[in-house]
Structure formats: C-alpha cells, structure tokens
Amino acid sequence: MGNWTAPSAIERELHETRARGDWGAFFDVLALTELFIPQSRAYQDAHPDLIRRERTYFPQVGAEAYVAFTAGMLPVPTPDLVFESECLGWFVDAFPATGGPAYLAVNPGTPFEVFLPATPAHRATWAFHHGRKPRSTGLERHKVHALHLGGPLHGPVAFGLACGAHLSVNNGMFWNAIGFHGRGYSAERRKLKEWWGITSREEWLESTEQLLTADMVSSVWEFALRVRRALEKEFAGPVDIEHWRHATASILRANADRAAEPRITPDGVTMAEPRPAAEVEGEIAGIQRVIGRIARYEQRFRADGLLAEGKYVRSVEAWDYGRASQMARWGLGARFGSLEETEDAVVRAGRACKLAYRSWEDLSAGFVLGRCLHFDEEEFGHWYEEMVATHRALTTDPGSPWLNIPWT
C-alpha cells in the first residue's frame, strides 16, 4: 500500500486483518460489509428485482471471478453504470453448484483487491461468518462515518453535507459522500418512491427545491416560533409561555381583523368578508396546542442535553434544510440528478442553515424538533431516541464534522 490512505474504516480493517493473516477476523469484517455489484443501468431498469451475475477474467489469478466493491471504493456515479448492494451471505448462494467462477474478486484493480477462492468449502466459511454477525450488514447506525478519500472534509460542500448529518449518522452512511450510491441503485429508487412519492427527475427537482426553500415544514410551527423570537428580541430575554401564548392569540385576532377591513384596489374599494369568530378561535386553540408541544419537547431536550439550560429552539426550518442536503444525494444515487446538481443543492442547503441558525447545536435542536413534531407525537419513542443518539454522536465524536468545521 505504501502511503496510500484507506478511504474508510471498512477498507482499513480489511487490509489490516488480511496483512496480519487473520482470516477469521477478515471474514468477520467482510460479513458486516455491504458489497456492491456493478450493473448496467438499462438492465436494472428493465429487471429491478434481479442482479446479473457477470464473470470477469483476471490475469492476476488466471481465472474468472464475480466482482464486488466495498462502499469506500465506489466510483463517482455515472448515468449508465449503477451498483446494487448485497452481503457476503448472498454470494454463498450466487455461485452455481458446478462450473462457476473460481473466485470472488473484492475491490479488484485497487490497493485493497483480494481474490477469495470460491470452492464449496470456502463458501461454507463465508456462510459461517455471515451467520454469526452481531448486527445487520452495513455501517453501524448512530455512529459518525466518513470518507477520508473521495469525500469533502472542509469547504462549502462539506458544510452543506454536515447540515444533513443527522440522517447520515442515523442511517449508517458516510456523512461526506457526495458521490452518493447509498444502499444501491434499486434501494435508493424504492426509498424515494415509498417515502416521498418520487419516481422521476422532475419530481425529485421539485421536492429538492421545496426543501431548500423550507416549503415543506409546517408554517404553523414556524409561525409560533417566529412570534417567540420577536418577543425575545423586543423584551431582551426569555419569554414566559403564557406571554407567548397570549401574544400569539393577539396576533391571530389582529390578522383576522385586518383581513376583514376594506381595501383600495385599482378597481375601487374591495369589501372583505370577516372570518367567522369560531374559525379564528379554533385556529388560536390549535396554535396554543402547538406551543404546548414545543415547550414540552424543549424541556425534554434540556434534560437530554440537546438544549442548554435557558435556551430555546429558534426555528424548525432545519428539518427541511437538512433533508434537502440528503435529498440532493438520494437523487444522485437514484440517477435522477447529476453530481453538479447535487453539489449545488448541498451548498444551498448550507447557506440557508447559516442564515437561520447560529451554531451546530442550534441547528440540531431545530432539526430534531421538526422531526419530532412530524413523527413522534410526544411519545418520545424511537423517532426521538434515535435523534438523541445521533445528536450525541455528532457533538462528541472527534471525527464529527460539527467539531471540525467552524460554523462561521
């Protein structure tokens, strides 16, 4: 290897175990690793549930092999070549009983290439290590994982990716992988379809733009927080919840009164119908419930270290901006967008976060509150617990972008 740096901990561990001849440890690592198989995009679009097993001849071993790459060795996405993710256990059965290739080539043509003999006895060893793996295949969730080669660690693109790091860390992804493959082409397409209803480039572009302009997050949540920010600025200090509730109700009633006033337009005086009082009071009651939910979440945030004592959530726009940073990558993995479009959207997400927040911790509280208001319904269940674990990883891990990229 010389002075060549491993792109990620995956390749480093595989190299180190192989170099010391500890093949048991090598296969333990490999069993937990996602293995990416190169495929023709045209074939995958026509056969989304199949993986073509193509043989390649390698002069290094004088024989044919099936090919797989680890996540840190994947190239920049291109329109025509895609990768599908499988595990070592899949390869146990991928080889035919007779007449199959002699090897499984892992990372061929790189400093980390290894040709694994694929006889039935060898595949039984693979199956043994696959069967005893302690967790699901892939990078461990709620941990900070980075590409040390092939991913930005500083600069505007890295900053924008760090703004979406909650989801990278929560889902067990490299936080700084801009050339994103995710869990494979078909998996990324399924994810966008099932969670977002996105099945085309046009829908991906529209959703990305909505997130970048904070057009998906609830305007009701943001209105309530905006009122409190204004009160804090006006009174130069913390705002009591009853003061916040009273001011919000007064604003809504005043807005309803102004909307009912006659207006002068180019066509003359336009009379407006006043909103029914019951409708206005119903809206106020709804906002009051939202304020109560926000206050209770903030109280829990302080207890769990997501907010410092006396601090409040400024805005929930981070819920959209953080997802915009991720949506940009997901679209590239699904081949709905290009690398240039992805980088542009990621940088825009970072700029929006800098305008809306004052620190990584400030942004984190806004993202977590938005996610909890959207999913958790004050159950403080897995939607909340996952974010607590993610926040702690991003604020304590020495390799976290939040500890290595200055906010300003």
Side-chain angles (χ1 to χ4, degrees):
M1 277 196 13
N3 295 323
W4 208 80
T5 302
S8 77
I10 298 169
E11 293 76 28
R12 186 182 69 249
E13 290 178 6
L14 289 173
H15 170 74
E16 289 174 351
T17 53
R18 180 190 177 197
R20 65 175 184 261
D22 190 347
W23 289 100
F26 176 92
F27 282 111
D28 282 341
V29 174
L30 195 65
L32 285 170
T33 300
E34 289 177 298
L35 297 173
F36 291 84
I37 306 160
Q39 298 282 288
S40 158
R41 179 181 173 185
Y43 177 84
Q44 286 307 116
D45 286 342
H47 309 87
D49 298 321
L50 297 176
I51 295 178
R52 179 182 286 174
R53 293 172 289 178
E54 293 189 356
R55 307 172 180 216
T56 302
Y57 178 81
F58 289 96
Q60 299 98 307
V61 290
E64 291 182 325
Y66 288 148
V67 173
F69 292 89
T70 54
M73 301 305 302
L74 292 173
V76 173
T78 58
D80 299 323
L81 179 66
V82 298
F83 291 83
E84 297 291 4
S85 171
E86 285 294 348
C87 62
L88 184 62
W90 183 86
F91 280 99
V92 172
D93 300 320
F95 286 78
T98 59
Y103 293 91
L104 171 61
V106 180
N107 296 327
T110 78
F112 299 102
E113 74 176 5
V114 58
F115 292 88
L116 302 175
T119 67
H122 285 97
R123 298 204 304 275
T125 300
W126 304 354
F128 169 76
H129 287 275
H130 173 76
R132 70 173 193 167
K133 60 191 178 76
R135 56 178 172 79
S136 59
T137 304
L139 296 170
E140 190 173 355
R141 296 183 61 198
H142 310 135
K143 302 283 187 182
V144 178
H145 303 284
L147 284 173
H148 304 292
L149 286 176
L153 294 168
H154 300 282
V157 175
F159 186 93
L161 290 170
C163 291
H166 286 95
L167 294 179
S168 297
V169 171
N170 184 58
N171 294 325
M173 295 286 178
F174 297 121
W175 73 263
N176 64 333
I178 188 67
F180 190 74
H181 292 273
R183 296 217 145 81
Y185 174 69
S186 296
E188 293 307 303
R189 288 216 155 196
R190 282 195 299 271
K191 175 176 65 183
L192 287 176
K193 181 179 180 180
E194 292 171 7
W195 283 89
W196 293 84
I198 294 174
T199 59
S200 69
R201 168 176 167 79
E202 292 71 28
E203 290 170 340
W204 170 71
L205 286 170
E206 181 181 359
S207 294
T208 303
E209 190 62 31
Q210 284 182 295
L211 291 169
L212 286 169
T213 54
D215 199 34
M216 285 194 183
V217 72
S218 169
S219 59
V220 172
W221 308 342
E222 195 61 25
F223 168 74
L225 293 170
R226 191 164 58 247
V227 170
R228 184 172 61 181
R229 286 203 307 273
L231 292 172
E232 284 182 307
K233 186 174 181 180
E234 184 174 351
F235 292 98
V239 178
D240 177 82
I241 189 170
E242 291 307 318
H243 184 189
W244 182 15
R245 282 175 164 151
H246 177 75
T248 303
S250 297
I251 290 170
L252 289 173
R253 291 190 183 102
N255 288 344
D257 290 340
R258 278 195 296 272
E261 293 174 353
R263 289 176 292 166
I264 300 176
T265 68
D267 297 325
V269 177
T270 301
M271 303 300 294
E273 286 289 333
R275 291 176 61 192
E279 182 181 304
V280 175
E281 294 305 314
E283 184 177 11
I284 290 171
I287 290 282
Q288 305 286 24
R289 287 193 295 273
V290 168
I291 288 174
R293 289 184 69 195
I294 292 172
R296 289 187 290 275
Y297 271 116
E298 289 177 331
Q299 185 177 16
R300 182 66 179 268
F301 285 7
R302 295 185 194 100
D304 290 334
L306 274 72
L307 273 177
E309 196 61 39
K311 295 294 184 180
Y312 300 91
V313 176
R314 290 175 53 79
S315 164
V316 286
E317 288 183 349
W319 173 231
D320 272 6
Y321 299 146
R323 291 186 296 169
S325 174
Q326 295 296 301
M327 180 63 76
R329 300 200 309 171
W330 299 336
L332 178 59
R335 300 305 190 275
F336 290 140
S338 67
L339 179 61
E340 293 74 20
E341 289 172 319
T342 297
E343 288 183 342
D344 177 70
V346 165
V347 170
R348 286 179 60 193
R351 288 175 184 158
C353 287
K354 273 192 177 181
L355 290 173
Y357 297 95
R358 298 173 177 173
S359 67
W360 292 114
E361 291 78 8
D362 194 19
L363 172 138
S364 184
F367 182 92
V368 176
L369 179 60
R371 181 178 171 90
C372 287
L373 290 173
H374 188 89
F375 287 118
D376 184 63
E377 298 181 357
E378 288 194 84
E379 294 178 357
F380 297 98
H382 74 93
W383 293 108
Y384 176 73
E385 292 167 355
E386 288 177 349
M387 287 298 99
V388 173
T390 295
H391 174 89
R392 288 174 178 166
L394 283 164
T395 52
T396 61
D397 190 305
S400 168
W402 293 4
L403 299 182
N404 292 284
I405 302 176
W407 182 261
T408 56

